[in-house]
Amino acid sequence: MSGAPYLSVVIPVYNEEANLPGLFARLYPVLDGLGRPYEVLFTNDGSRDRSFELLKAQHARRPDSTRVIDFNANYGQHMAIMAAFERVRGEVVVTLDADLQNPPEEIPKLLSLIDAGHDYVGGFRLQRQDSFFRRLASLLINAVRSRTTNIEMTDQGCMLRAYRRAVVEAVVRSGAINTFIPALAYGFSSNPGEVAVRHEERHAGVSNYSVYKLIRLNFDLITAFSLVPLQVFTMFAIACSAGSFVLVVILALRRLIIGPEEGGLFTLFGILFFLLSVAMVGIGLIGEYVGRAYQVVRTRKAYHVREILEAKD
Ligand code: UDP
Ligand code: MG
């Protein structure tokens, strides 16, 4: 394929050997049907199964439209997307999951909104096919996000999205790590749009997200985009110290007027423990921000590419 493609499709892959054949079989016909030049960028995010072999074989089958970035280890879905964003050649970039939860057949729908003038198109999932726990967690985090950031998004978890090249370049330039790409890109778009997309059950295998990884990701989502948690904590701390000051005054007066009390010991302990736990939460929160600042200051690449398979031109 000579010249720059119109479309770049970006797909992070982590232990998806059971899904890749089905993905190839459905994705390429859809893209061929667009009648526009395209490329597909897969990032192998340190898979421990045969995913990389399958990607290699696909690259051999379609060398002109397939590129494979191979990480040396697992750096997470969003870093896998970031590595591909740094290398895309298309005017329009579409992201999608490798597990067929985002039907490739929905890509033309996104592109028609791009053609209509949007520079960012987010998919939102109709009838989400995930566990009750996942949906509840999403509901909660959605509520927190919409209150702490000014990002307006129906479904932040849906990775089926399309971006104009300029938005992708802004994301790359920002140098953000530990980030949540849909939210970051939203901040760089000037005309975001949304469209409903189908959502399918994971084709094979299990979700790569453990509860731990999910919590980390959602922490990234909040702390990477707003300082509200820090400010809420500070205000809460101010209210607490005002309250305890009043308490100390009351206890001092009581001591002078009524005399020493003995029974109040446990009340004091209760208050003490409460304040202590508040302080601990605060220290943890501050640690989150400091840790993030440290990672940025250190200016180390957040991932390492071992190999890139692509046609040289
Ligand atoms: N993924 C990745 N690195 C990871 C975890 C996931 O590249 O550390 C990829 C995975 O292969 C899939 C997408 O990110 O293409 C979404 O992952 P998954 O389906 O496990 O997440 P869920 O759909 O449960 O949110
Ligand atoms: Mg999935």
Side-chain angles (χ1 to χ4, degrees):
M1 196 178 294
S2 58
Y6 165 73
L7 175 68
S8 297
V9 179
V10 168
I11 307 177
V13 177
Y14 180 56
N15 297 341
E16 301 283 8
E17 62 179 3
N19 295 316
L20 286 175
L23 175 69
F24 298 152
R26 282 172 62 182
L27 176 67
Y28 283 77
V30 170
L31 299 178
D32 288 332
L34 293 174
R36 284 165 162 179
Y38 67 87
E39 61 174 6
V40 186
L41 278 96
F42 294 97
T43 305
N44 175 39
D45 188 13
S47 298
R48 280 184 293 266
D49 63 359
R50 290 185 53 256
S51 295
F52 185 59
E53 277 73 60
L54 295 175
L55 292 174
K56 232 178 185 162
Q58 180 63 13
H59 175 254
R61 266 194 300 274
R62 303 289 295 260
D64 48 352
S65 52
T66 308
R67 298 165 72 192
V68 181
I69 301 166
D70 188 29
F71 279 179
N72 69 316
N74 179 242
Y75 293 98
Q77 178 186 358
H78 292 267
M79 281 305 104
I81 294 173
M82 197 63 114
F85 272 15
E86 288 175 5
R87 294 167 176 84
V88 289
R89 301 188 185 128
E91 280 165 51
V92 177
V93 179
V94 166
T95 57
L96 131 135
D97 283 350
D99 59 2
L100 290 167
Q101 286 198 281
N102 305 137
E105 292 77 19
E106 301 283 58
I107 292 175
K109 220 191 242 178
L110 298 178
L111 294 181
S112 65
L113 262 89
I114 291 279
D115 286 337
H118 293 287
D119 59 353
Y120 175 109
V121 181
F124 59 89
R125 296 167 284 192
L126 293 171
Q127 281 150 11
R128 189 166 164 192
Q129 306 292 324
D130 272 321
S131 67
F132 171 75
F133 168 72
R134 283 294 296 268
R135 283 183 311 214
L136 184 74
S138 286
L139 211 70
L140 274 175
I141 202 70
N142 236 332
V144 174
R145 193 218 60 240
S146 64
R147 277 169 187 74
T148 57
T149 69
N150 50 14
I151 299 169
E152 279 175 38
M153 217 181 263
T154 313
D155 182 4
Q156 74 224 339
C158 182
M159 292 311 290
L160 184 56
R161 284 166 196 275
Y163 312 88
R164 275 256 166 225
R165 178 64 171 275
V167 173
V168 167
E169 276 169 6
V171 167
V172 171
R173 260 199 316 277
S174 76
I177 51 173
N178 270 336
T179 193
F180 196 79
I181 290 186
L184 182 64
Y186 182 94
F188 296 124
S189 68
S190 36
N191 185 12
E194 281 197 311
V195 64
V197 292
R198 275 187 296 126
H199 190 235
E200 292 174 9
E201 230 163 299
R202 196 171 221 292
H203 177 71
V206 290
S207 170
N208 291 306
Y209 277 102
S210 58
V211 174
Y212 170 73
K213 264 182 148 180
L214 263 185
I215 292 173
R216 291 244 35 100
L217 187 68
N218 288 321
F219 235 95
D220 285 346
L221 180 62
I222 303 302
T223 54
F225 296 98
S226 105
L227 291 176
V228 172
L230 214 51
Q231 287 152 357
V232 167
F233 173 72
T234 314
M235 278 184 270
F236 186 59
I238 291 171
C240 280
S241 29
S244 33
F245 177 72
V246 172
L247 196 69
V248 170
V249 171
I250 291 173
L251 287 177
L253 289 178
R254 197 194 128 91
R255 171 72 179 76
L256 291 177
I257 298 163
I258 306 173
E261 60 148 7
E262 273 159 34
L265 194 63
F266 290 110
T267 321
L268 262 180
F269 263 115
I271 295 167
L272 194 69
F273 285 156
F274 172 68
L275 291 180
L276 216 69
S277 62
V278 170
M280 271 155 61
V281 172
I283 292 167
L285 254 177
I286 294 166
E288 277 294 324
Y289 287 101
V290 171
R292 246 154 260 273
Y294 168 66
Q295 278 174 322
V296 174
V297 167
R298 176 170 74 161
T299 61
R300 189 189 295 160
K301 260 265 169 276
Y303 58 84
H304 175 66
V305 174
R306 183 159 54 187
E307 186 185 3
I308 298 182
L309 305 179
E310 60 189 3
K312 308 277 178 289
D313 50 14

